[in-house]
Amino acid sequence: MGNIRKLLLCLLAVSSVTISGRTFAADDNMELSAETAETDSVEAEKAKRSETVEKAELSAEDAEKYLEKIGSSDGYDIYRKDKDFDDKLWEAVGGKPKSKKDYTDEQQLIADKIDELKKLGELVAIDTQSGKAAASFKSGSKCDEGKLWVSDAGRFFVITDEDAAKVVRVRKIISSLDSRYAFLSTDGKTLELLQKDLKKPDITLSYSVKEDGKKVYKAESGEFAWLTADGSHFLGVFRYGAENDKFRMIVDDRSAIFGIENKETGYIWWSSPLEAAQDKTATSLLADELRSSNMLRYGVPLSRSGNNMLRSGSESDCKFEVSDIKDGIRVVYNYEKAGFKFPVEYTLEDDHLKASVKVSEIEESKSANIATEMTVLGCFGAASDKEEGYFVIPDGSGALVRFNNNRSTQTNIYQQRVYGNDVTAVPQTKGAVTEQIYLPVYGIVKEDNALLAVAAKGDSNAYITANVSKQSNSSYNICRFTFILRAMDSFYMSGSSNERYTVFEKGTIKSDDIEMLYYPISKKGADYTDVAARYRQYLMEEQGVTKKCTADSSALYLGLYGGTMKKKNILGIPVDMKTSVTDYAQSADIIGKLSGDGVEDMVISYSNWTNDGMKNKVDTDADPSGKLGGKSDFKKLTDLIDKNGYTLYPVSDNRDFLSGNGYYSFTDTAVRVSGAYSQIVSYDRAYGIPDGFRKNMSLLSPGYFSKVFGDMAESYSKADLDGVSLASLTTSLYGDYGKKNISRAKAEKMLTDSYKKIDDKLSGGILADGANAYALPYVSCITDVPDSSSRFDMFDEDIPFYQLVLHGLIPYSTKAVNGDPDPEKLMLRAVAAGSDLSFDMIYEEASLLKDTEYDWLYYADHRYWTDTAAKYYSLIEPVLRKVSDSFIEDYSVDGDIITSKYENGTVIKVDMKNRTIDCGAMHIELSEEGGDSY
């Protein structure tokens, strides 16, 4: 009974994760869970923010009677309290009695007044209109004009002469929420800022004009300040910084907040929202976060703590210095108390902003603390709850999160790691099945403006967080990148799930430098297609992605599966034996049937076609399996494929392996941050817990990628094979944190160098089974492209963002159509997104797959699908050929109608409800029975 209860609890734990935007399991990438933990502390801080209040109490009559008036200014009378004022007051009533019981009524009154006056500072300001004390000033500091006095609650400052005998001027704060340093004259004509130590005036500005709904104040230095139209809120003091033909920077040196202004339209993208300080929904902690251009999380290894956040918008956390550099500014952030200091450079390029951090310049001066994460410009482009628009999230195919959508609770923020989780940290339970982020980007669309944000460096260690107003504990909608500087992991003591310990990646920071690019897009009706187009341009111009698509072409992608290991009883003893699922002759038969039914072009992948592949050994030799027919039958298969003009990509999946072929679990396995070997676990499909009946495999260390890929390229070339499919190694990115000391950033470089070896050696290149962005320059075509996002609660709708980026650039296909619960619907979505179709097929009956690694291919029996695959191909091939090398210029959804417009002028309309396709003169109808007509 106890075991059943445990299983049910496991199931509930897994199912509860699926409703949240955070999809990692309990142990799956602990580095991401830190932000979640802090959300709880933020939730606990419920105190509402409000303006400071002066607590001085004194009437004008008493001030006149007991204090010395030194002058008036701006509607306030200023009184001074002498240091020995109490002695003088006692003298006026005959001296102070020795005992309180001897006080006369007059002396008692004086005693009470003295106690009242002692609560006040040396100066008191009396509002001439109300006749009551406005503020008290305890002490003054020397300044060029004499002495500067700041009131107890900071709402006023007074400047007197050096002896405090004469008032020079009085100024009142604009808003203590906005700034402790900005003060305004009563007539509203003069704005003064104090220095950060509140001891001297810093700058004086005079009212100039009201424009664009703001009051503008200007200084002789050229700096200018903005107040809201009613003058009640202070937005900042700015100067114009670097500029080019398209943009100029607007910089607030005192807050390290800046804007990028489009010189043609006047629209400004701000690093932080200017009115964030007035967000009454946000706590003080989150208001500081909204105003932060940098945030740093750090860990304390000795206490196993990794959830300590520092914010540049908090004066108690950070001091910073802003200086001009070529084309931009340099901000040095000094988190002095915690022991961190580093510079960040923000520069204007031709058509974008670049934010860059060299991790080697991060100083860690306190040995107890280590930096673990950094967020650069975390509130760039944040939208208030009064704005309309959405975020473009590259989750799976892509999704939109509309501002203020109220679709999710505070705990269900979206948080996913770019390029998927680091699989070295093997979770105790299988997490929810979701799509991953393949592209290191996100987009913001609002008004007639859009923004593309690209993690150009540090992408291997980045994750994307998105939340909407209220859910973010503020009035703002926020999307951001955060960069992991040191990986984290956990292990359990004494086998108890309650004794989990956090460990950190050892040594210096090994992650890549951070570089973020922000591309503003100004266009009437700008939308996510413009964001996709700008990223496509970036891939072509900056990342070396070349056009692989050709005109007038459309292929059927066919996934074939050769053999697998299956337990069979030999003399009563269970033995793992090679078992054929689709041998070479049977593969030729499937291909021949499809060809005979009119499939003119095919891209064919063939998994487990070698003995090493079946046995899950590292597989580089390109040696056909005798179990599947040997070299002669394989040659007949390749001749058939060549004769028909098809393309073959034999699969070599070398991420997970069993010992053999010179690669061994004890020497060649990637090591977790915790120091344990990384074992790839098979999970029970029902409960998501490790399946004890299946053997765990080892995770190949990235240190062997170069050798494995080099050997593979050489052997495939000698075998006259033109291409290869690398299976999971175009979508899986992980490090090795043992003696080889390989970070994800280094592993990414090792992968791309290895891809190049294959791309240079094999004319057909690489068929990617899904492709992360870093693989795109090296792949010839991509299969298994998702047609949806992970469909989290906070997503409003799915979009084919991945397809919008790649159509006309790299050929791609869907996930297996026959593996989808509604194949026709998938086909229609594929046509709308310009995607070729993919089918998985095996020759033997699916029952043969029971208790094998291929048990998930239950749907793939070719006898049920060759006719359908050929029919679907013949239906949509004429449509897709018309646009095969053309970029998608517009994609829109109106109810059940999806319209795709291409740069060559072709328009494709898909009616998802009536299941029709229209393209020029072509009209295709899918009947309810699954047939078709023209």
Side-chain angles (χ1 to χ4, degrees):
M1 185 68 179
N3 288 334
I4 294 175
R5 183 174 296 174
K6 286 182 179 179
L7 292 175
L8 289 174
L9 287 173
C10 288
L11 180 59
L12 287 172
V14 173
S15 63
S16 66
V17 176
T18 62
I19 65 170
S20 170
R22 301 184 304 277
T23 63
F24 38 88
D27 296 271
D28 198 8
N29 266 15
M30 278 193 61
E31 63 266 26
L32 299 188
S33 65
E35 184 162 327
T36 304
E38 186 167 33
T39 302
D40 297 333
S41 66
V42 171
E43 175 68 13
E45 186 192 348
K46 287 295 186 180
K48 295 294 183 182
R49 301 171 63 247
S50 59
E51 294 284 349
T52 56
V53 177
E54 300 285 356
K55 295 182 179 180
E57 294 184 6
L58 189 69
S59 66
E61 181 182 355
D62 283 348
E64 185 70 31
K65 186 174 182 180
Y66 300 115
L67 303 179
E68 177 187 359
K69 183 177 179 180
I70 62 172
S72 301
S73 177
D74 266 37
Y76 297 93
D77 293 333
I78 308 300
Y79 290 84
R80 184 178 67 186
K81 180 180 71 177
D82 291 334
K83 291 181 180 179
D84 56 352
F85 79 97
D86 50 344
D87 293 338
K88 293 180 180 179
L89 291 181
W90 280 118
E91 288 176 8
V93 292
K96 181 180 181 181
K98 292 182 180 180
S99 175
K100 289 185 178 181
K101 65 181 181 179
D102 297 327
Y103 285 1
T104 65
D105 290 344
E106 185 179 13
Q107 288 172 336
Q108 184 62 56
L109 177 62
I110 287 298
D112 292 342
K113 287 299 177 184
I114 289 173
D115 288 342
E116 184 179 331
L117 292 170
K118 280 184 177 180
K119 296 177 182 177
L120 300 173
E122 191 172 340
L123 298 184
V124 179
I126 301 294
D127 187 329
T128 57
Q129 288 188 349
S130 68
K132 296 180 180 180
S136 166
F137 305 79
K138 282 189 172 63
S139 61
S141 54
K142 288 185 179 181
C143 66
D144 293 341
E145 298 171 88
K147 270 190 176 182
L148 184 145
W149 308 70
V150 178
S151 64
D152 298 346
R155 298 196 63 79
F156 294 85
F157 79 76
V158 174
I159 292 183
T160 67
D161 62 5
E162 191 171 343
D163 297 325
K166 180 181 178 182
V167 175
V168 178
R169 64 181 176 276
V170 177
R171 295 288 182 260
K172 185 178 180 180
I173 201 166
I174 299 170
S175 167
S176 61
L177 294 178
D178 294 335
S179 171
R180 296 196 301 136
Y181 313 106
F183 295 79
L184 196 64
S185 61
T186 301
D187 61 10
K189 293 183 178 179
T190 305
L191 171 64
E192 285 190 73
L193 262 70
L194 300 183
Q195 293 182 348
K196 285 201 170 183
D197 59 7
L198 296 175
K199 292 183 177 181
K200 291 183 179 180
D202 185 29
I203 186 173
T204 301
L205 305 98
S206 301
Y207 177 72
S208 174
V209 69
K210 184 183 288 188
E211 62 182 12
D212 297 329
K214 297 184 289 289
K215 283 187 173 181
V216 182
Y217 291 75
K218 294 185 177 180
E220 292 182 1
S221 63
E223 292 179 278
F224 57 94
W226 286 341
L227 272 62
T228 54
D230 60 3
S232 62
H233 297 309
F234 172 75
L235 303 180
V237 174
F238 307 96
R239 63 180 174 87
Y240 290 116
E243 66 178 291
N244 57 30
D245 292 341
K246 298 181 179 70
F247 303 104
R248 66 176 171 181
M249 296 183 76
I250 303 175
V251 183
D252 185 343
D253 293 313
R254 295 162 182 83
S255 66
I257 291 174
F258 61 91
I260 306 301
E261 181 184 19
N262 184 313
K263 293 168 71 171
E264 181 179 350
T265 66
Y267 189 85
I268 303 172
W269 289 95
W270 289 101
S271 63
S272 294
L274 292 187
E275 295 193 68
Q278 288 298 325
D279 184 1
K280 301 296 178 65
T281 301
T283 61
S284 296
L285 189 74
L286 285 171
D288 288 344
E289 186 169 304
L290 288 168
R291 291 181 290 188
S292 296
S293 55
N294 182 274
M295 294 189 291
L296 183 75
R297 193 184 301 277
Y298 69 95
V300 185
L302 288 178
S303 63
R304 307 293 185 189
S305 168
N307 188 32
N308 307 282
M309 179 66 82
L310 300 167
R311 300 164 175 83
S312 67
S314 168
E315 291 185 9
S316 62
D317 284 351
C318 185
K319 296 178 182 178
F320 51 79
E321 295 179 3
V322 181
S323 59
D324 285 331
I325 58 175
K326 185 178 184 299
D327 299 323
I329 59 173
R330 186 176 194 260
V331 183
V332 178
Y333 298 94
N334 187 356
Y335 298 103
E336 190 172 3
K337 291 180 182 178
F340 302 103
K341 183 178 180 181
F342 52 87
V344 182
E345 294 186 352
Y346 306 100
T347 54
L348 273 184
E349 308 299 312
D350 178 52
D351 62 347
H352 64 277
L353 169 74
K354 180 170 74 174
S356 55
V357 183
K358 292 182 178 179
V359 297
S360 61
E361 295 181 353
I362 299 176
E363 299 177 18
E364 299 173 292
S365 58
K366 291 192 175 181
S367 59
N369 300 338
I370 58 172
T372 58
E373 291 181 2
M374 184 182 293
T375 303
V376 181
L377 300 182
C379 293
F380 196 98
S384 76
D385 57 5
K386 298 178 179 62
E387 293 182 273
E388 293 184 359
Y390 53 81
F391 296 125
V392 182
I393 308 295
D395 180 288
S397 66
L400 302 183
V401 176
R402 298 194 181 277
F403 302 160
N404 321 306
N405 65 15
N406 294 317
R407 291 179 61 89
S408 194
T409 63
Q410 288 180 336
T411 58
N412 285 355
I413 62 173
Y414 176 79
Q415 189 180 84
Q416 285 278 69
R417 190 161 183 177
V418 174
Y419 306 145
N421 293 329
D422 190 327
V423 293
T424 56
V426 183
Q428 292 290 307
T429 57
K430 182 177 176 62
V433 178
T434 63
E435 299 294 343
Q436 75 176 47
I437 294 176
Y438 299 94
L439 308 175
V441 303
Y442 66 84
I444 307 175
V445 176
K446 53 183 177 179
E447 301 177 17
D448 288 328
N449 294 276
L451 180 85
L452 167 68
V454 182
K457 291 182 181 179
D459 49 323
S460 59
N461 291 300
Y463 62 87
I464 295 176
T465 302
N467 47 33
V468 294
S469 62
K470 296 183 182 177
Q471 179 201 50
S472 65
N473 287 305
S474 76
S475 298
Y476 287 89
N477 304 271
I478 303 165
C479 190
R480 62 170 62 126
F481 282 115
T482 294
F483 298 87
I484 298 167
L485 301 176
R486 282 186 175 88
M488 296 166 60
D489 198 357
S490 65
F491 64 91
Y492 294 85
M493 296 293 289
S494 305
S496 170
S497 60
N498 295 322
E499 296 184 48
R500 186 172 70 182
Y501 289 84
T502 302
V503 290
F504 302 88
E505 188 177 359
K506 295 178 182 178
T508 58
I509 297 173
K510 302 175 186 66
S511 65
D512 197 6
D513 291 341
I514 295 170
E515 185 175 286
M516 298 175 62
L517 309 177
Y518 297 90
Y519 292 87
I521 302 166
S522 292
K523 174 185 173 184
K524 185 70 174 175
D527 64 10
Y528 56 82
T529 59
D530 299 297
V531 177
R534 187 60 191 85
Y535 183 55
R536 184 197 313 122
Q537 180 183 343
Y538 167 82
L539 290 175
M540 297 175 71
E541 294 178 353
E542 306 297 332
Q543 297 300 303
V545 178
T546 57
K547 196 163 186 174
K548 307 289 177 60
C549 290
T550 57
D552 197 32
S553 64
S554 176
L556 178 73
Y557 285 67
L558 176 64
L560 297 174
Y561 298 84
T564 184
M565 302 302 291
K566 185 177 176 67
K567 287 189 184 297
K568 295 183 179 180
N569 287 323
I570 306 297
L571 299 177
I573 301 173
V575 178
D576 282 330
M577 298 189 66
K578 296 190 293 292
T579 303
S580 175
V581 176
T582 313
D583 65 27
Y584 305 137
Q586 292 167 339
S587 297
D589 186 41
I590 293 173
I591 293 169
K593 287 181 179 179
L594 290 169
S595 177
D597 286 340
V599 179
E600 297 179 357
D601 193 3
M602 258 189 276
V603 175
I604 304 161
S605 64
Y606 198 177
S607 301
N608 280 14
W609 63 286
T610 67
N611 289 336
D612 288 338
M614 293 183 212
K615 295 178 181 179
N616 293 308
K617 304 292 179 65
V618 172
D619 178 19
T620 61
D621 289 341
D623 186 11
S625 169
K627 184 66 179 179
L628 302 180
K631 293 182 179 179
S632 60
D633 279 0
F634 186 73
K635 181 67 165 58
K636 292 176 183 178
L637 174 64
T638 55
D639 287 345
L640 172 67
I641 291 172
D642 291 341
K643 178 182 176 182
N644 284 278
Y646 303 154
T647 309
L648 174 64
Y649 290 95
V651 176
S652 183
D653 189 354
N654 291 314
R655 193 194 76 168
D656 310 337
F657 73 100
L658 298 175
S659 288
N661 287 358
Y663 295 88
Y664 301 99
S665 296
F666 289 113
T667 56
D668 307 322
T669 302
V671 176
R672 298 172 59 160
V673 173
S674 65
Y677 287 113
S678 186
Q679 299 291 307
I680 302 303
V681 177
S682 294
Y683 296 96
D684 184 280
R685 292 188 183 278
Y687 302 107
I689 59 177
D691 185 345
F693 296 101
R694 296 197 181 189
K695 190 174 182 179
N696 293 339
M697 291 202 287
S698 297
L699 183 68
L700 183 68
S701 170
Y704 295 101
F705 287 162
S706 180
K707 175 173 172 49
V708 168
F709 281 49
D711 290 348
M712 187 193 309
E714 190 68 30
S715 61
Y716 273 54
S717 177
K718 287 181 179 178
D720 293 326
L721 295 172
D722 296 330
V724 64
S725 169
L726 302 177
S728 58
L729 283 178
T730 52
T731 58
S732 185
L733 182 63
Y734 57 93
D736 182 348
Y737 305 101
K739 293 180 180 179
K740 294 182 179 66
N741 217 1
I742 301 171
S743 65
R744 271 186 40 134
K746 190 174 181 180
E748 181 183 326
K749 180 67 166 55
M750 290 175 167
L751 275 173
T752 55
D753 288 347
S754 300
Y755 297 152
K756 191 173 188 306
K757 288 183 178 181
I758 294 176
D759 195 43
D760 290 344
K761 198 78 173 178
L762 304 181
S763 60
I766 299 169
L767 167 65
D769 189 359
N772 287 334
Y774 54 79
L776 294 177
Y778 310 98
V779 302
S780 298
C781 44
I782 308 170
T783 189
D784 212 28
V785 173
D787 68 307
S788 71
S789 71
S790 300
R791 295 176 176 167
F792 293 126
D793 289 346
M794 74 179 300
F795 290 173
D796 287 279
E797 62 184 90
D798 287 351
I799 59 170
F801 183 78
Y802 193 92
Q803 291 88 335
L804 290 170
V805 170
L806 293 184
H807 195 279
L809 191 58
I810 301 174
Y812 56 83
S813 77
T814 62
K815 292 187 174 183
V817 173
N818 50 338
D820 193 88
D822 190 341
E824 278 193 2
K825 189 174 181 181
L826 176 56
M827 182 188 72
L828 291 168
R829 289 198 301 267
V831 175
S835 178
D836 289 327
L837 301 182
S838 175
F839 285 81
D840 286 335
M841 293 191 195
I842 60 173
Y843 197 87
E844 302 293 347
E845 292 186 2
S847 59
L848 181 67
L849 305 179
K850 184 180 179 182
D851 297 327
T852 73
E853 66 172 325
Y854 281 159
D855 59 3
W856 55 274
L857 282 167
Y858 56 86
Y859 57 84
D861 191 324
H862 79 287
R863 289 170 295 181
Y864 305 110
W865 288 107
T866 50
D867 290 346
T868 301
K871 182 184 294 184
Y872 281 9
Y873 172 82
S874 64
L875 276 174
I876 68 172
E877 184 262 355
V879 176
L880 296 182
R881 288 173 73 97
K882 292 173 66 70
V883 297
S884 61
D885 66 338
S886 185
F887 299 148
I888 301 176
E889 286 191 335
D890 187 57
Y891 183 95
S892 60
V893 181
D894 184 7
D896 295 313
I897 309 297
I898 304 174
T899 304
S900 307
K901 298 180 180 178
Y902 292 80
E903 64 172 350
N904 66 3
T906 302
V907 177
I908 300 173
K909 287 190 177 183
V910 175
D911 187 329
M912 297 297 295
K913 180 179 180 181
N914 296 312
R915 304 207 170 197
T916 62
I917 303 169
D918 287 280
C919 178
M922 286 186 285
H923 176 74
I924 302 169
E925 295 183 4
L926 304 181
S927 68
E928 293 183 3
E929 291 76 21
D932 59 87
S933 61
Y934 289 86

